[in-house]
Amino acid sequence: MKYAEFFSMIKGQFMGADVSDVKEHLAYQFNITGEAEGIFYVEVKDGQLFVEPYEYYDRDAIFICEADTLMKIADGKLDPILAVTLQKLRVEGNIDKALKFKELVDKKKNKKK
């Protein structure tokens, strides 16, 4: 899978999250390694979600993983905290804000129900 194809799929996954009740600013950069290697960011600002294929310099945290791992997390098939424990996901930066990523994934899953 190429980066552009992966980014399109993952953006569609993340855009399903209802973040209208998130009042704080969250900015995450994702560094994808291996197949589909590339960088993108997810930002929650003023209750809106943005997913863009760029590096984000004023980020709260960086998540480093393979595309397959992130897709499993986005699909709700792998808990992000478990992924860290299994060393499939590496996190750098503000851990408190990084933990809120799990809430975004959960919001996306709850919207699907």
Side-chain angles (χ1 to χ4, degrees), residues 33-73:
T33 61
E35 185 181 3
E37 182 175 337
I39 293 174
F40 70 94
Y41 74 85
V42 174
E43 178 182 31
V44 178
K45 182 178 181 180
D46 301 324
Q48 292 186 318
L49 181 69
F50 303 91
V51 181
E52 298 298 333
Y54 311 111
E55 197 162 348
Y56 196 100
Y57 293 102
D58 194 23
R59 62 200 167 238
D60 297 311
I62 298 175
F63 295 94
I64 303 158
C65 64
E66 292 186 358
D68 183 54
T69 299
L70 188 55
M71 283 304 293
K72 287 178 183 173
I73 291 170

Side-chain angles (χ1 to χ4, degrees), residues 6-113:
F6 168 73
F7 176 74
S8 177
M9 287 177 14
I10 202 72
K11 182 173 183 173
Q13 288 281 1
F14 280 118
M15 294 308 289
D18 177 9
V19 298
S20 59
D21 63 337
V22 178
K23 302 301 179 208
E24 69 183 303
H25 180 261
L26 301 172
Y28 305 124
Q29 180 173 306
F30 291 83
N31 293 1
I32 305 305
T33 61
E35 185 181 3
E37 182 175 337
I39 293 174
F40 70 94
Y41 74 85
V42 174
E43 178 182 31
V44 178
K45 182 178 181 180
D46 301 324
Q48 292 186 318
L49 181 69
F50 303 91
V51 181
E52 298 298 333
Y54 311 111
E55 197 162 348
Y56 196 100
Y57 293 102
D58 194 23
R59 62 200 167 238
D60 297 311
I62 298 175
F63 295 94
I64 303 158
C65 64
E66 292 186 358
D68 183 54
T69 299
L70 188 55
M71 283 304 293
K72 287 178 183 173
I73 291 170
D75 286 340
K77 295 177 182 170
L78 177 62
D79 182 273
I81 296 170
L82 178 60
V84 170
T85 304
L86 295 173
Q87 299 181 347
K88 292 183 175 278
L89 175 66
R90 198 168 86 224
V91 181
E92 298 174 0
N94 183 322
I95 297 302
D96 289 333
K97 288 212 174 186
L99 287 169
K100 294 182 188 281
F101 173 63
K102 182 174 176 1
E103 294 174 26
L104 294 181
V105 171
D106 290 343
K107 285 178 179 295
K108 186 188 74 58
K109 285 194 306 192
N110 290 337
K111 189 172 182 179
K112 279 186 175 179
K113 290 180 181 177

